[in-house]
Amino acid sequence: MAATGAKRVGVIGAGMVGVCAASWLQRDGHKAFLIEAGEPGHGASFGNAGCFNGSSVTPMSIPGTIRNVPRWLIDPLGPLSLRWRYLPAIAPWLVRFVRAGTPQKVHAQARALRPLVGPSLEALRPLVSAAGAEDLIHRLGHLYVYRSAESLAKDRLVWELRRENGVEIDEFDADELRQLEPALSRDYVRGVLVRENGHTSSPLKLVERLLEHFLHSGGEIVHARARGFRFDGSRLTAIETDTGDHAADAAIVCAGAYSKPLAAVLGDWVPLETERGYHLMIADPEVMPRIPTADADGKFVATPMETGLRFAGTVELAGLAAPPDWRRARILLEQGRKMLPGLAASHPEERISVWMGHRPSLPDSLPVLGPSRATPDVVYAFGHGHVGMTAAPMTGKLVADLVSGRPPSIDIAPFAPGRFG
Ligand SMILES: Cc1cc2nc3c(=O)[nH]c(=O)nc-3n(C[C@H](O)[C@H](O)[C@H](O)COP(=O)(O)OP(=O)(O)OC[C@H]3O[C@@H](n4cnc5c(N)ncnc54)[C@H](O)[C@@H]3O)c2cc1C
Protein backbone atom coordinates (compact mmCIF):
# COMPACT_ATOMS: atom_id res chain seq x y z
CA MET A 1 0.00 0.00 0.00
CA ALA A 2 1.13 3.51 -0.81
CA ALA A 3 3.31 4.99 1.95
CA THR A 4 2.35 8.59 1.23
CA GLY A 5 -1.38 8.13 0.66
CA ALA A 6 -3.29 7.30 -2.49
CA LYS A 7 -2.66 9.57 -5.48
CA ARG A 8 -4.40 10.13 -8.78
CA VAL A 9 -1.76 9.01 -11.29
CA GLY A 10 -1.94 9.48 -15.05
CA VAL A 11 0.13 6.94 -17.01
CA ILE A 12 0.87 8.19 -20.53
CA GLY A 13 1.04 5.31 -23.03
CA ALA A 14 -0.71 1.95 -22.87
CA GLY A 15 2.07 -0.29 -24.16
CA MET A 16 3.57 -3.08 -22.04
CA VAL A 17 5.47 -0.58 -19.90
CA GLY A 18 2.46 1.68 -19.27
CA VAL A 19 0.09 -1.17 -18.54
CA CYS A 20 2.55 -2.78 -16.09
CA ALA A 21 3.14 0.62 -14.41
CA ALA A 22 -0.61 1.30 -14.12
CA SER A 23 -1.20 -2.20 -12.73
CA TRP A 24 1.52 -1.90 -10.07
CA LEU A 25 0.31 1.58 -9.10
CA GLN A 26 -3.23 0.25 -8.72
CA ARG A 27 -2.02 -2.68 -6.61
CA ASP A 28 -0.28 -0.09 -4.45
CA GLY A 29 -3.57 1.65 -3.71
CA HIS A 30 -3.31 4.55 -6.16
CA LYS A 31 -6.08 5.71 -8.47
CA ALA A 32 -4.33 5.15 -11.79
CA PHE A 33 -5.57 6.03 -15.26
CA LEU A 34 -3.97 5.44 -18.66
CA ILE A 35 -3.82 8.00 -21.43
CA GLU A 36 -3.42 6.39 -24.86
CA ALA A 37 -3.28 8.16 -28.21
CA GLY A 38 -3.79 5.07 -30.36
CA GLU A 39 -4.86 1.49 -29.67
CA PRO A 40 -3.54 -0.01 -26.39
CA GLY A 41 -0.78 -2.52 -27.05
CA HIS A 42 -0.42 -1.60 -30.73
CA GLY A 43 2.95 0.19 -30.43
CA ALA A 44 6.26 -1.66 -30.13
CA SER A 45 4.56 -3.98 -27.65
CA PHE A 46 2.48 -5.48 -30.46
CA GLY A 47 4.90 -7.20 -32.77
CA ASN A 48 8.03 -7.99 -30.81
CA ALA A 49 9.57 -11.46 -30.44
CA GLY A 50 7.68 -11.93 -27.15
CA CYS A 51 10.74 -13.00 -25.19
CA PHE A 52 11.08 -12.40 -21.47
CA ASN A 53 14.83 -12.80 -21.39
CA GLY A 54 16.21 -12.04 -17.97
CA SER A 55 19.57 -12.88 -19.48
CA SER A 56 19.43 -9.89 -21.87
CA VAL A 57 22.00 -7.77 -20.11
CA THR A 58 24.30 -7.17 -23.08
CA PRO A 59 24.14 -3.61 -24.41
CA MET A 60 23.80 -3.14 -28.17
CA SER A 61 27.06 -1.22 -28.38
CA ILE A 62 29.93 -3.40 -27.23
CA PRO A 63 33.62 -3.36 -28.17
CA GLY A 64 33.79 -4.80 -31.68
CA THR A 65 30.20 -3.91 -32.70
CA ILE A 66 31.39 -1.02 -34.76
CA ARG A 67 33.82 -3.28 -36.69
CA ASN A 68 30.83 -5.31 -37.93
CA VAL A 69 28.79 -2.29 -39.06
CA PRO A 70 30.22 -1.87 -42.59
CA ARG A 71 29.75 -5.62 -43.29
CA TRP A 72 26.17 -5.51 -41.95
CA LEU A 73 25.33 -2.39 -43.97
CA ILE A 74 26.46 -3.80 -47.31
CA ASP A 75 24.86 -7.23 -46.76
CA PRO A 76 21.29 -7.02 -48.12
CA LEU A 77 20.33 -9.84 -45.72
CA GLY A 78 22.22 -8.20 -42.84
CA PRO A 79 20.69 -7.28 -39.48
CA LEU A 80 21.29 -3.51 -39.78
CA SER A 81 20.19 -0.92 -42.31
CA LEU A 82 20.43 2.84 -42.39
CA ARG A 83 18.45 5.24 -44.56
CA TRP A 84 21.28 7.48 -45.66
CA ARG A 85 19.02 10.55 -45.76
CA TYR A 86 18.51 10.04 -42.01
CA LEU A 87 22.27 9.96 -41.27
CA PRO A 88 22.64 13.68 -40.40
CA ALA A 89 19.74 13.43 -37.93
CA ILE A 90 20.99 10.29 -36.20
CA ALA A 91 24.73 11.06 -36.32
CA PRO A 92 24.93 12.53 -32.76
CA TRP A 93 23.09 9.46 -31.40
CA LEU A 94 25.52 7.18 -33.27
CA VAL A 95 28.49 9.01 -31.77
CA ARG A 96 27.05 8.45 -28.28
CA PHE A 97 26.30 4.82 -29.21
CA VAL A 98 29.91 4.18 -30.18
CA ARG A 99 31.20 5.97 -27.07
CA ALA A 100 28.96 3.83 -24.87
CA GLY A 101 30.69 0.67 -26.07
CA THR A 102 33.94 0.73 -24.07
CA PRO A 103 34.82 -2.40 -22.06
CA GLN A 104 34.42 -0.59 -18.75
CA LYS A 105 31.04 0.92 -19.67
CA VAL A 106 29.50 -2.29 -21.02
CA HIS A 107 30.29 -4.19 -17.82
CA ALA A 108 28.61 -1.39 -15.82
CA GLN A 109 25.58 -1.32 -18.19
CA ALA A 110 25.14 -5.09 -17.89
CA ARG A 111 25.37 -4.88 -14.08
CA ALA A 112 22.71 -2.14 -14.11
CA LEU A 113 20.37 -4.07 -16.39
CA ARG A 114 20.43 -7.42 -14.62
CA PRO A 115 18.26 -6.40 -11.61
CA LEU A 116 15.78 -4.78 -14.05
CA VAL A 117 15.43 -7.73 -16.43
CA GLY A 118 16.49 -10.71 -14.28
CA PRO A 119 13.37 -10.80 -12.06
CA SER A 120 11.05 -10.14 -15.04
CA LEU A 121 8.95 -13.30 -14.83
CA GLU A 122 8.71 -13.08 -11.03
CA ALA A 123 7.52 -9.46 -11.24
CA LEU A 124 5.08 -10.35 -14.02
CA ARG A 125 3.61 -13.39 -12.25
CA PRO A 126 1.23 -11.57 -9.83
CA LEU A 127 -0.11 -9.41 -12.68
CA VAL A 128 -0.57 -12.37 -14.97
CA SER A 129 -2.26 -14.53 -12.37
CA ALA A 130 -4.64 -11.72 -11.31
CA ALA A 131 -5.50 -11.18 -14.98
CA GLY A 132 -5.96 -14.91 -15.68
CA ALA A 133 -3.32 -14.73 -18.40
CA GLU A 134 -1.12 -17.66 -17.31
CA ASP A 135 -1.86 -19.48 -20.57
CA LEU A 136 0.04 -16.77 -22.45
CA ILE A 137 3.33 -17.19 -20.53
CA HIS A 138 5.74 -20.09 -21.13
CA ARG A 139 9.03 -20.76 -19.39
CA LEU A 140 10.92 -23.01 -21.79
CA GLY A 141 14.16 -21.05 -22.03
CA HIS A 142 15.77 -19.30 -24.97
CA LEU A 143 18.10 -20.98 -27.43
CA TYR A 144 20.92 -19.16 -29.25
CA VAL A 145 22.28 -21.00 -32.27
CA TYR A 146 25.56 -20.63 -34.15
CA ARG A 147 26.79 -21.85 -37.53
CA SER A 148 30.39 -22.33 -36.40
CA ALA A 149 32.50 -22.64 -33.30
CA GLU A 150 34.27 -19.48 -34.48
CA SER A 151 31.10 -17.43 -34.49
CA LEU A 152 30.30 -18.62 -30.94
CA ALA A 153 33.85 -17.63 -29.99
CA LYS A 154 33.24 -14.13 -31.40
CA ASP A 155 30.36 -13.75 -28.92
CA ARG A 156 32.75 -14.38 -26.04
CA LEU A 157 32.10 -11.00 -24.40
CA VAL A 158 28.31 -11.39 -24.73
CA TRP A 159 28.41 -14.66 -22.79
CA GLU A 160 30.98 -13.34 -20.33
CA LEU A 161 28.65 -10.45 -19.45
CA ARG A 162 25.75 -12.84 -18.95
CA ARG A 163 27.80 -15.27 -16.87
CA GLU A 164 29.26 -12.58 -14.63
CA ASN A 165 25.69 -11.45 -13.89
CA GLY A 166 24.61 -14.88 -12.73
CA VAL A 167 23.05 -16.23 -15.95
CA GLU A 168 23.40 -20.01 -16.15
CA ILE A 169 23.75 -21.66 -19.53
CA ASP A 170 23.89 -25.10 -21.15
CA GLU A 171 25.98 -25.58 -24.26
CA PHE A 172 25.11 -28.05 -27.00
CA ASP A 173 27.03 -29.51 -29.90
CA ALA A 174 25.48 -30.24 -33.31
CA ASP A 175 24.00 -33.65 -32.33
CA GLU A 176 22.59 -32.42 -29.05
CA LEU A 177 21.11 -29.41 -30.82
CA ARG A 178 19.34 -31.72 -33.26
CA GLN A 179 17.78 -33.63 -30.37
CA LEU A 180 16.69 -30.42 -28.65
CA GLU A 181 15.18 -28.79 -31.76
CA PRO A 182 14.84 -31.30 -34.62
CA ALA A 183 13.40 -28.62 -36.95
CA LEU A 184 16.66 -26.63 -36.98
CA SER A 185 18.96 -26.59 -40.00
CA ARG A 186 21.98 -28.86 -39.80
CA ASP A 187 24.09 -25.81 -40.56
CA TYR A 188 23.91 -24.93 -36.88
CA VAL A 189 26.67 -26.66 -34.98
CA ARG A 190 26.60 -24.92 -31.60
CA GLY A 191 23.74 -23.95 -29.31
CA VAL A 192 23.47 -22.19 -25.96
CA LEU A 193 20.31 -22.62 -23.92
CA VAL A 194 19.34 -20.16 -21.18
CA ARG A 195 16.75 -22.02 -19.15
CA GLU A 196 15.68 -19.10 -16.95
CA ASN A 197 14.10 -17.22 -19.89
CA GLY A 198 10.47 -17.33 -20.97
CA HIS A 199 8.16 -15.98 -23.65
CA THR A 200 4.61 -15.02 -24.39
CA SER A 201 2.69 -16.65 -27.19
CA SER A 202 0.88 -13.34 -27.83
CA PRO A 203 2.37 -10.00 -26.75
CA LEU A 204 -0.81 -8.16 -27.79
CA LYS A 205 -3.17 -10.47 -25.88
CA LEU A 206 -0.90 -10.18 -22.85
CA VAL A 207 -1.15 -6.38 -22.82
CA GLU A 208 -4.89 -6.57 -23.47
CA ARG A 209 -5.55 -9.04 -20.63
CA LEU A 210 -3.50 -7.00 -18.16
CA LEU A 211 -5.38 -3.89 -19.28
CA GLU A 212 -8.75 -5.61 -18.97
CA HIS A 213 -7.96 -6.61 -15.40
CA PHE A 214 -6.75 -3.09 -14.60
CA LEU A 215 -10.04 -1.63 -15.93
CA HIS A 216 -12.17 -4.23 -14.08
CA SER A 217 -10.36 -3.30 -10.88
CA GLY A 218 -11.36 0.35 -11.10
CA GLY A 219 -8.73 1.70 -13.52
CA GLU A 220 -9.64 4.03 -16.36
CA ILE A 221 -8.35 4.72 -19.85
CA VAL A 222 -8.55 8.09 -21.56
CA HIS A 223 -8.29 8.03 -25.36
CA ALA A 224 -6.25 11.16 -26.03
CA ARG A 225 -2.76 12.37 -26.92
CA ALA A 226 -0.84 13.83 -23.97
CA ARG A 227 0.83 17.13 -24.79
CA GLY A 228 2.12 18.60 -21.54
CA PHE A 229 1.58 19.21 -17.87
CA ARG A 230 -0.05 21.82 -15.64
CA PHE A 231 1.44 22.90 -12.35
CA ASP A 232 0.61 24.84 -9.23
CA GLY A 233 4.13 25.96 -8.29
CA SER A 234 6.17 22.78 -8.63
CA ARG A 235 3.23 20.46 -7.88
CA LEU A 236 1.52 18.74 -10.80
CA THR A 237 -2.20 19.43 -11.09
CA ALA A 238 -3.14 18.00 -14.49
CA ILE A 239 -1.98 16.33 -17.67
CA GLU A 240 -2.75 18.35 -20.78
CA THR A 241 -4.11 16.41 -23.76
CA ASP A 242 -5.62 17.17 -27.15
CA THR A 243 -9.08 16.56 -25.66
CA GLY A 244 -8.59 18.65 -22.51
CA ASP A 245 -6.87 18.51 -19.13
CA HIS A 246 -7.02 15.52 -16.78
CA ALA A 247 -6.45 16.16 -13.09
CA ALA A 248 -3.50 14.23 -11.67
CA ASP A 249 -1.19 14.32 -8.63
CA ALA A 250 1.47 12.38 -10.52
CA ALA A 251 2.23 11.44 -14.13
CA ILE A 252 4.28 8.62 -15.61
CA VAL A 253 5.69 9.06 -19.11
CA CYS A 254 5.62 5.63 -20.82
CA ALA A 255 5.07 6.73 -24.40
CA GLY A 256 7.85 4.51 -25.80
CA ALA A 257 9.64 6.01 -28.81
CA TYR A 258 7.35 9.07 -28.63
CA SER A 259 8.40 10.14 -25.13
CA LYS A 260 11.07 12.68 -26.06
CA PRO A 261 8.77 15.72 -26.56
CA LEU A 262 7.00 15.02 -23.26
CA ALA A 263 10.34 15.14 -21.41
CA ALA A 264 11.35 18.22 -23.40
CA VAL A 265 8.38 20.26 -22.18
CA LEU A 266 9.78 19.78 -18.67
CA GLY A 267 13.27 20.85 -19.73
CA ASP A 268 14.75 17.34 -19.88
CA TRP A 269 16.69 16.51 -23.04
CA VAL A 270 17.22 12.82 -23.72
CA PRO A 271 18.83 11.35 -26.85
CA LEU A 272 15.92 9.00 -27.55
CA GLU A 273 15.90 7.41 -31.02
CA THR A 274 13.97 4.66 -32.66
CA GLU A 275 15.62 1.43 -33.72
CA ARG A 276 12.94 0.24 -36.08
CA GLY A 277 12.37 -3.51 -36.16
CA TYR A 278 10.28 -5.86 -38.26
CA HIS A 279 8.48 -9.14 -37.96
CA LEU A 280 7.15 -11.60 -40.46
CA MET A 281 4.68 -14.28 -39.46
CA ILE A 282 3.66 -17.51 -41.13
CA ALA A 283 0.23 -18.78 -40.11
CA ASP A 284 -0.09 -22.55 -39.85
CA PRO A 285 3.64 -23.15 -40.53
CA GLU A 286 4.94 -26.56 -41.59
CA VAL A 287 7.41 -26.56 -38.65
CA MET A 288 8.04 -24.41 -35.56
CA PRO A 289 10.78 -24.48 -32.96
CA ARG A 290 9.47 -25.45 -29.52
CA ILE A 291 11.69 -22.90 -27.78
CA PRO A 292 12.23 -19.32 -29.01
CA THR A 293 15.44 -19.57 -31.01
CA ALA A 294 17.82 -16.75 -31.89
CA ASP A 295 20.14 -16.95 -34.87
CA ALA A 296 23.08 -15.28 -33.20
CA ASP A 297 24.74 -14.15 -36.45
CA GLY A 298 21.56 -13.10 -38.27
CA LYS A 299 20.29 -11.36 -35.11
CA PHE A 300 16.70 -12.51 -35.45
CA VAL A 301 14.47 -14.68 -33.30
CA ALA A 302 11.99 -17.38 -34.30
CA THR A 303 9.20 -17.55 -31.72
CA PRO A 304 6.32 -20.03 -31.63
CA MET A 305 3.20 -17.91 -31.22
CA GLU A 306 -0.51 -18.68 -30.86
CA THR A 307 -1.22 -17.51 -34.38
CA GLY A 308 1.84 -18.98 -36.09
CA LEU A 309 5.57 -18.68 -36.35
CA ARG A 310 7.06 -15.23 -35.86
CA PHE A 311 10.47 -14.16 -37.15
CA ALA A 312 11.39 -10.87 -35.52
CA GLY A 313 14.44 -8.67 -35.47
CA THR A 314 16.64 -6.42 -37.59
CA VAL A 315 17.50 -2.82 -36.85
CA GLU A 316 16.68 -0.02 -39.27
CA LEU A 317 17.79 3.52 -38.51
CA ALA A 318 15.31 5.79 -40.28
CA GLY A 319 13.43 7.75 -37.62
CA LEU A 320 9.77 7.80 -36.64
CA ALA A 321 8.28 9.24 -39.81
CA ALA A 322 9.66 7.20 -42.74
CA PRO A 323 7.34 4.55 -44.18
CA PRO A 324 8.24 0.88 -43.57
CA ASP A 325 10.56 -0.84 -46.01
CA TRP A 326 8.83 -4.22 -46.23
CA ARG A 327 11.89 -5.75 -47.89
CA ARG A 328 13.37 -5.77 -44.36
CA ALA A 329 10.55 -8.08 -43.23
CA ARG A 330 10.90 -10.30 -46.32
CA ILE A 331 14.59 -10.76 -45.44
CA LEU A 332 13.42 -12.37 -42.22
CA LEU A 333 11.46 -14.95 -44.24
CA GLU A 334 14.50 -15.76 -46.33
CA GLN A 335 16.62 -16.12 -43.17
CA GLY A 336 13.88 -18.09 -41.43
CA ARG A 337 13.63 -20.63 -44.23
CA LYS A 338 17.38 -21.19 -43.90
CA MET A 339 16.98 -21.68 -40.16
CA LEU A 340 14.06 -24.12 -40.49
CA PRO A 341 14.43 -26.05 -43.76
CA GLY A 342 11.14 -27.87 -43.12
CA LEU A 343 9.29 -24.66 -44.01
CA ALA A 344 7.83 -24.60 -47.50
CA ALA A 345 9.87 -22.78 -50.16
CA SER A 346 6.90 -20.50 -50.76
CA HIS A 347 3.73 -19.66 -48.85
CA PRO A 348 0.45 -18.19 -50.07
CA GLU A 349 0.34 -14.48 -49.26
CA GLU A 350 -2.72 -14.89 -47.05
CA ARG A 351 -0.60 -16.93 -44.61
CA ILE A 352 2.08 -14.23 -44.36
CA SER A 353 1.80 -11.05 -42.30
CA VAL A 354 4.36 -8.34 -41.72
CA TRP A 355 4.83 -5.59 -39.15
CA MET A 356 7.20 -2.74 -38.32
CA GLY A 357 7.60 -1.19 -34.87
CA HIS A 358 9.66 1.41 -33.06
CA ARG A 359 12.03 0.28 -30.33
CA PRO A 360 12.58 3.26 -28.02
CA SER A 361 16.35 3.35 -27.68
CA LEU A 362 18.96 5.30 -25.77
CA PRO A 363 22.56 5.05 -27.00
CA ASP A 364 23.77 3.31 -23.81
CA SER A 365 21.04 0.62 -24.03
CA LEU A 366 19.65 1.64 -20.63
CA PRO A 367 16.15 3.09 -20.14
CA VAL A 368 15.29 6.47 -18.69
CA LEU A 369 13.70 5.71 -15.35
CA GLY A 370 13.32 8.29 -12.62
CA PRO A 371 11.79 11.64 -11.72
CA SER A 372 11.93 14.63 -14.05
CA ARG A 373 14.25 17.50 -13.19
CA ALA A 374 11.32 19.91 -12.83
CA THR A 375 9.29 17.92 -10.31
CA PRO A 376 9.21 14.53 -8.60
CA ASP A 377 5.53 14.37 -9.59
CA VAL A 378 6.43 13.43 -13.17
CA VAL A 379 8.31 10.15 -13.50
CA TYR A 380 9.88 8.91 -16.74
CA ALA A 381 9.77 5.23 -17.68
CA PHE A 382 10.74 4.83 -21.32
CA GLY A 383 13.58 3.90 -23.66
CA HIS A 384 13.82 0.18 -22.96
CA GLY A 385 15.10 -0.53 -26.48
CA HIS A 386 15.42 -4.22 -27.28
CA VAL A 387 14.26 -5.42 -23.85
CA GLY A 388 11.07 -3.49 -23.13
CA MET A 389 8.77 -6.47 -22.73
CA THR A 390 11.24 -8.07 -20.33
CA ALA A 391 11.93 -4.89 -18.36
CA ALA A 392 8.30 -3.73 -18.13
CA PRO A 393 7.19 -5.68 -15.03
CA MET A 394 10.10 -4.46 -12.87
CA THR A 395 9.80 -0.96 -14.35
CA GLY A 396 6.17 -0.92 -13.21
CA LYS A 397 7.18 -1.93 -9.68
CA LEU A 398 9.87 0.76 -9.55
CA VAL A 399 7.44 3.42 -10.74
CA ALA A 400 5.08 2.42 -7.92
CA ASP A 401 7.99 2.67 -5.44
CA LEU A 402 8.78 6.21 -6.62
CA VAL A 403 5.17 7.43 -6.59
CA SER A 404 4.59 5.88 -3.17
CA GLY A 405 7.69 7.50 -1.70
CA ARG A 406 9.54 4.22 -1.05
CA PRO A 407 13.20 3.76 -1.91
CA PRO A 408 13.31 1.86 -5.24
CA SER A 409 13.90 -1.85 -4.74
CA ILE A 410 16.94 -1.77 -7.08
CA ASP A 411 19.57 0.84 -7.92
CA ILE A 412 18.06 3.13 -10.54
CA ALA A 413 20.93 5.65 -10.59
CA PRO A 414 22.28 4.24 -13.92
CA PHE A 415 18.90 5.05 -15.51
CA ALA A 416 18.85 8.70 -14.37
CA PRO A 417 17.17 11.02 -16.91
CA GLY A 418 19.92 13.60 -16.42
CA ARG A 419 22.84 11.28 -17.27
CA PHE A 420 23.20 12.74 -20.77
CA GLY A 421 24.04 16.20 -19.46
C1 LIG B 1 11.21 -6.49 -33.85
C2 LIG B 1 11.23 -6.29 -32.36
C3 LIG B 1 11.41 -7.38 -31.53
C4 LIG B 1 11.46 -7.20 -30.14
N1 LIG B 1 11.57 -8.29 -29.32
C5 LIG B 1 11.56 -8.12 -27.97
C6 LIG B 1 11.61 -9.26 -27.12
O1 LIG B 1 11.60 -10.41 -27.56
N2 LIG B 1 11.66 -9.03 -25.78
C7 LIG B 1 11.66 -7.78 -25.24
O2 LIG B 1 11.76 -7.64 -24.03
N3 LIG B 1 11.55 -6.69 -26.03
C8 LIG B 1 11.50 -6.83 -27.39
N4 LIG B 1 11.40 -5.75 -28.20
C9 LIG B 1 11.35 -4.40 -27.59
C10 LIG B 1 9.97 -4.11 -27.04
O3 LIG B 1 8.96 -4.44 -27.98
C11 LIG B 1 9.85 -2.64 -26.66
O4 LIG B 1 10.97 -2.23 -25.90
C12 LIG B 1 8.61 -2.42 -25.78
O5 LIG B 1 7.47 -2.95 -26.43
C13 LIG B 1 8.41 -0.94 -25.48
O6 LIG B 1 7.21 -0.83 -24.76
P1 LIG B 1 6.60 0.58 -24.42
O7 LIG B 1 5.38 0.34 -23.62
O8 LIG B 1 7.67 1.45 -23.85
O9 LIG B 1 6.27 1.22 -25.85
P2 LIG B 1 5.03 0.99 -26.83
O10 LIG B 1 4.58 -0.43 -26.84
O11 LIG B 1 5.45 1.57 -28.15
O12 LIG B 1 3.88 1.85 -26.18
C14 LIG B 1 3.89 3.24 -26.17
C15 LIG B 1 2.44 3.70 -26.25
O13 LIG B 1 2.39 5.12 -26.02
C16 LIG B 1 1.41 5.66 -26.87
N5 LIG B 1 1.70 7.08 -27.02
C17 LIG B 1 2.75 7.66 -27.66
N6 LIG B 1 2.72 9.00 -27.51
C18 LIG B 1 1.63 9.28 -26.75
C19 LIG B 1 1.07 10.49 -26.24
N7 LIG B 1 1.65 11.68 -26.46
N8 LIG B 1 -0.07 10.41 -25.50
C20 LIG B 1 -0.66 9.21 -25.26
N9 LIG B 1 -0.16 8.04 -25.72
C21 LIG B 1 0.98 8.07 -26.44
C22 LIG B 1 1.55 4.86 -28.17
O14 LIG B 1 0.37 4.94 -28.95
C23 LIG B 1 1.82 3.45 -27.62
O15 LIG B 1 0.63 2.71 -27.46
C24 LIG B 1 11.32 -5.89 -29.59
C25 LIG B 1 11.08 -4.81 -30.44
C26 LIG B 1 11.02 -4.99 -31.81
C27 LIG B 1 10.73 -3.83 -32.70
Side-chain angles (χ1 to χ4, degrees), residues 116-152:
L116 187 69
V117 295
S120 175
L121 289 168
E122 282 65 41
L124 183 61
R125 189 173 299 127
L127 307 187
V128 158
S129 72
E134 290 98 336
D135 58 309
L136 298 175
I137 301 294
H138 315 274
R139 197 166 198 168
L140 301 169
H142 192 96
L143 183 62
Y144 299 82
V145 290
Y146 292 87
R147 287 193 163 82
S148 66
E150 294 72 41
S151 84
L152 174 57

Side-chain angles (χ1 to χ4, degrees), residues 10-22 33-41 221-222 224 226 252-256 259 262 381:
V11 178
I12 303 168
M16 184 64 178
V17 174
V19 168
C20 285
F33 64 100
L34 282 153
I35 301 180
E36 170 56 50
E39 287 278 310
I221 183 158
V222 174
I252 318 297
V253 179
C254 306
S259 301
L262 290 165

Side-chain angles (χ1 to χ4, degrees), residues 38-63:
E39 287 278 310
H42 279 72
S45 302
F46 176 90
N48 52 74
C51 301
F52 286 89
N53 285 353
S55 62
S56 287
V57 296
T58 312
M60 296 312 291
S61 176
I62 60 173

Side-chain angles (χ1 to χ4, degrees), residues 6 70 72 110 139 164 189 193 195 206 249 289 362 402 417:
W72 286 338
R139 197 166 198 168
E164 72 184 28
V189 296
L193 178 67
R195 292 185 199 271
L206 178 60
D249 309 309
L362 278 313
L402 291 170

Side-chain angles (χ1 to χ4, degrees), residues 12-18 35-52 224-227 254-258 262 275-279 312-314 355 357-360 381-391:
I12 303 168
M16 184 64 178
V17 174
I35 301 180
E36 170 56 50
E39 287 278 310
H42 279 72
S45 302
F46 176 90
N48 52 74
C51 301
F52 286 89
R225 182 172 298 280
R227 284 203 295 229
C254 306
Y258 301 88
L262 290 165
E275 287 181 79
R276 296 148 59 110
Y278 289 82
H279 88 210
T314 84
W355 169 87
H358 293 286
R359 295 183 190 90
F382 59 82
H384 298 79
H386 290 245
V387 297
M389 295 298 285
T390 309

